[in-house]
Amino acid sequence: MKAKSWILALGCGALLLCGPARAQEDSQDTPSEVEQPRPAVEVLTEPTGEFRLNALKGDPVELTLRDVVLQTLMQNLDIKISKKDRDIAAEQVFAELGIYDPVFEAGVTRTQIDEQSRTLPQNRWTVDEKDTQSYAALSQRTPWGTMVTLEFTDHRQHILDRDPRVGNTLSPSYRQTAGVTVTQPLLKNFGPLVNNANIRIAKRRLDQSNEAFRGQIMDQLASVMGAYWELVFTIRNLDVQEQALASARELERVNKARVDVGSLPRLSLVQAQAEVAYRESLVVNAESAVAQAQDNLLQLMNWDRTDLDKEWNRPIIPVDSPEFTPDVRFSDSELINVAFARRPDFLAAVTELDVAHINRDVSKRQRLPELNVFGSYTYSGLDNSRWGAFDYVDDMDYTDYSFGAEFRFPLFNRQARAQYHQSLDYAEQQELFIQQLEVAITGQVRASTRSVRTALRRIDATRKQVTADQEKLDAEIKRREVGERTTFDVLDFQDDLAQSQASEARAMVDYQIAMIELARSTGTLLDAQNILVDDQVPPGGFDLGFQPVSTDSITPEEVDEAVPSAQHLLAPLQ
């Protein structure tokens, strides 16, 4: 109040200096133009949407909060980027399943050898050998680490020995084999625990990506919904400032008329004119705040930028008005339990602990020595024609088999031991991180509930303040008319009323933002907006098309018990 008085005093002094120059102009007004001051502005309960910011032109765009939410879901770039991360994680699961893809191999080798004959006493004769070897194999890995390979080979050999002492040999000859080879690890690399580890981890990463996607949606919706209510506030604040400016101009007009007839001193007119100038500066600031709030909202919605000057300069008219439930009740402990069951960051941390346990179990198994057993069984055939050799193979008269074992173990085994201890440390670290996150979530939820309660009390207090300031202003206007109060006193009370009206609008918007933050901090913001992140689309809902994460640490029964306790929280946001 004192700072305002100094500002008005300086303005009065400046206007007094130019008073004589304006005296003749002021004297041209007649007493018949004098009107009674207008009643003070009533408490604003609905946004007018009629702000007059010069920079915003064109046809207004009316938007509900639901319009803003859906536009953000469809166009927000951060959400699109996060969805791509989820798609990449889903493809990684598909890629890890590739270790069980059957592998087909085939090859052919052509060899020609010209060498000396091995017959004695003189190896002056030459031997010409032409070999063509081809093979085809199909191998398959199993979750137990077993590698099964089916192989078929064809070997054509043509030998020409020019030594006349060498008898006839089968040339060309065709040798074909068909057999199976099995290799089975018994210690290291044994079992689904090891062989399925990367697949299980990839699925957990997909769960984390899904939760990160939900978290990104919540964050963006909380931001855009907060921006929507900030725009509502700036428009209401502009209305308050313009109405305060209108009241100041009306007071200036009345004072000017009364100064002209000599019923008021000229100082009263100067004070009113200084108040008008001050109110005009507040209107300019309020207009700028509206433009900035609108830009923030359009940016979060990724508004059309093809015609920036046209689309971004169209006034946005918020359709929804702030509402509140004065008797809202909730339990901090219940909401904290809801947050543990629904918050994406907490579920992602629990999933990361599951990944740590997988790595721990795998690294523990991998400390064992490598002991593999193997065996093969083959049918063969030999003939001077390819089909003749195949007939022998088909008859299965000629067989051979082999089996054995191999053992391998690093003497110090430092790498496997170090990896196991690292996995233990990481699992313990992740458990500590979850405890830390629990503490942080507890603080965030309590801060959110405190903000809601504080906003409710501020709404009640500011409404009482507006009513009291209105009554005081009405009384001051009447006392001024009978000469008991000066114009300066009326201006002060008008300023008090304008500030209390702006404070009420601020408290109403802060309540909306506090409720949004409470829903976000408990992980229920998507439920409040009727948005599902699975394959079931609710009536009027918006489908985001993936299954929600499920973890072993949180059972469906626990979720069912926790979620109903937050239904009263969701209702005010729907």
Side-chain angles (χ1 to χ4, degrees):
M1 185 75 70
K2 292 183 179 180
K4 174 70 182 302
S5 302
W6 280 104
I7 294 174
L8 291 178
L10 292 175
C12 293
L15 292 174
L16 281 173
L17 295 177
C18 61
R22 300 191 54 178
Q24 294 181 355
E25 298 177 4
D26 296 341
S27 63
Q28 295 177 359
D29 296 330
T30 61
S32 61
E33 297 177 350
V34 178
E35 296 180 2
Q36 295 299 322
R38 299 177 186 176
V41 181
E42 297 180 356
V43 177
L44 293 178
T45 58
E46 296 291 337
T48 64
E50 298 178 353
F51 57 91
R52 286 149 293 283
L53 186 62
N54 294 331
L56 299 180
K57 301 177 181 178
D59 298 331
V61 180
E62 293 187 352
L63 289 178
T64 65
L65 184 61
R66 186 66 176 175
D67 295 334
V68 169
V69 167
L70 295 182
Q71 173 73 11
T72 302
L73 291 175
M74 292 184 292
Q75 298 297 333
N76 184 269
L77 294 178
D78 289 330
I79 292 179
K80 290 183 178 181
I81 292 172
S82 181
K83 188 175 185 299
K84 287 299 179 183
D85 290 338
R86 186 188 67 88
D87 295 340
I88 292 171
E91 292 296 334
Q92 185 60 34
V93 175
F94 190 73
E96 294 296 343
L97 290 171
I99 66 171
Y100 295 123
D101 289 345
V103 178
F104 175 77
E105 298 179 67
V108 59
T109 303
R110 172 74 175 183
T111 305
Q112 182 170 339
I113 302 174
D114 294 333
E115 63 180 1
Q116 293 173 305
S117 174
R118 293 181 173 83
T119 58
L120 297 174
Q122 294 178 342
N123 56 350
R124 57 183 178 178
W125 309 104
T126 61
V127 178
D128 297 335
E129 181 179 348
K130 297 179 181 179
D131 289 347
T132 302
Q133 299 184 46
S134 58
Y135 75 96
L138 184 66
S139 59
Q140 172 70 60
R141 180 188 297 273
T142 71
W144 293 95
T146 309
M147 179 63 72
V148 180
T149 303
L150 302 177
E151 185 175 20
F152 179 83
T153 65
D154 179 86
H155 182 196
R156 180 185 184 277
Q157 186 177 48
H158 183 275
I159 300 177
L160 177 58
D161 194 337
R162 291 182 172 86
D163 188 346
R165 295 171 296 177
V166 177
N168 294 332
T169 60
L170 186 61
S171 182
S173 64
Y174 294 86
R175 176 178 173 81
Q176 295 182 352
T177 62
V180 58
T181 301
V182 178
T183 302
Q184 174 64 57
L186 299 180
L187 297 177
K188 187 177 182 179
N189 298 322
F190 172 77
L193 175 67
V194 175
N195 293 280
N196 289 341
N198 288 338
I199 298 175
R200 295 168 59 198
I201 291 175
K203 289 182 178 180
R204 300 305 187 274
R205 297 302 183 201
L206 176 58
D207 292 342
Q208 290 179 319
S209 296
N210 289 340
E211 289 305 316
F213 186 36
R214 290 181 60 242
Q216 185 65 250
I217 294 172
M218 287 188 190
D219 291 342
Q220 294 303 315
L221 290 188
S223 297
V224 76
M225 292 168 68
Y228 181 88
W229 292 121
E230 285 294 339
L231 179 59
V232 170
F233 166 73
T234 56
I235 293 176
R236 288 196 174 192
N237 183 59
L238 178 58
D239 289 336
V240 169
Q241 300 305 329
E242 286 185 334
Q243 290 165 357
L245 175 60
S247 299
R249 284 175 175 169
E250 176 64 16
L251 184 60
E252 177 192 22
R253 189 191 66 79
V254 172
N255 283 3
K256 184 176 182 300
R258 297 182 66 178
V259 168
D260 291 341
V261 298
S263 61
L264 281 179
R266 183 164 180 78
L267 179 61
S268 296
L269 176 60
V270 174
Q271 290 175 336
Q273 291 172 341
E275 177 70 10
V276 169
Y278 173 69
R279 288 296 169 188
E280 287 176 346
S281 67
L282 294 182
V283 169
V284 171
N285 293 335
E287 287 179 341
S288 177
V290 171
Q292 184 61 52
Q294 176 166 315
D295 280 353
N296 293 341
L297 181 61
L298 295 178
Q299 179 181 354
L300 290 170
M301 290 191 298
N302 192 23
W303 200 255
D304 184 15
R305 299 186 303 277
T306 54
D307 190 351
L308 190 63
D309 292 336
K310 177 182 178 181
E311 295 298 330
W312 282 55
N313 285 331
R314 297 173 63 186
I316 301 296
I317 307 301
V319 176
D320 295 331
S321 301
E323 298 178 355
F324 77 102
T325 305
D327 58 345
V328 61
R329 296 289 185 272
F330 38 72
S331 167
D332 288 358
S333 59
E334 290 181 359
L335 292 180
I336 291 171
N337 290 332
V338 171
F340 291 156
R342 305 296 295 276
R343 273 190 54 150
D345 54 347
F346 187 80
L347 296 180
V350 173
T351 304
E352 185 63 25
L353 179 60
D354 192 15
V355 171
H357 289 163
I358 293 174
N359 287 325
R360 179 199 61 192
D361 296 340
V362 171
S363 60
K364 181 179 180 180
R365 173 66 60 81
Q366 294 302 84
R367 295 181 304 166
L368 298 175
E370 187 174 351
L371 176 61
N372 301 330
V373 295
F374 58 86
S376 65
Y377 196 87
T378 305
Y379 297 103
S380 63
L382 179 66
D383 198 73
N384 60 355
S385 67
R386 180 170 282 110
W387 287 110
F390 182 77
D391 289 338
Y392 281 114
V393 173
D394 187 50
D395 291 339
M396 297 185 293
D397 292 332
Y398 302 96
T399 63
D400 62 77
Y401 64 90
S402 64
F403 60 89
E406 57 182 7
F407 179 85
R408 182 176 181 274
F409 183 69
L411 293 181
F412 298 105
N413 203 22
R414 285 178 288 192
Q415 182 178 18
R417 290 162 54 197
Q419 290 175 349
Y420 174 64
H421 289 294
Q422 286 177 340
S423 66
L424 291 178
D425 292 338
Y426 184 72
E428 293 177 1
Q429 182 187 52
Q430 194 59 30
E431 290 175 355
L432 293 175
F433 175 75
I434 291 177
Q435 295 178 18
Q436 183 185 51
L437 189 58
E438 289 175 347
V439 174
I441 290 175
T442 300
Q444 292 169 8
V445 172
R446 286 178 56 83
S448 299
T449 58
R450 190 180 304 111
S451 296
V452 171
R453 296 187 182 100
T454 301
L456 287 173
R457 295 176 64 183
R458 285 175 54 206
I459 291 174
D460 182 63
T462 53
R463 286 190 168 183
K464 293 179 181 178
Q465 183 180 2
V466 168
T467 302
D469 287 341
Q470 179 72 70
E471 293 177 355
K472 289 192 298 182
L473 178 60
D474 293 340
E476 288 301 311
I477 291 176
K478 293 178 181 179
R479 298 178 68 179
R480 173 182 170 278
E481 291 175 353
V482 297
E484 295 182 2
R485 285 290 185 269
T486 64
T487 299
F488 191 81
D489 296 326
V490 174
L491 293 176
D492 280 341
F493 284 103
Q494 283 184 342
D495 183 65
D496 291 341
L497 179 60
Q499 290 183 7
S500 61
Q501 289 172 337
S503 297
E504 182 192 16
R506 180 74 263 177
M508 288 289 292
V509 169
D510 285 346
Y511 171 78
Q512 305 300 319
I513 295 176
M515 289 297 293
I516 292 170
E517 178 58 27
L518 179 56
R520 190 194 68 81
S521 65
T522 55
T524 56
L525 183 58
L526 299 184
D527 303 272
Q529 293 301 313
N530 198 26
I531 296 171
L532 292 186
V533 289
D534 56 19
D535 55 356
Q536 297 179 355
V537 185
F542 189 86
D543 181 26
L544 296 178
F546 66 87
Q547 291 290 340
V549 68
S550 61
T551 64
D552 299 334
S553 301
I554 299 179
T555 64
E557 291 76 13
E558 292 174 334
V559 175
D560 293 338
E561 292 176 359
V563 171
S565 63
Q567 294 303 316
H568 57 275
L569 168 64
L570 306 182
L573 294 177
Q574 293 177 345

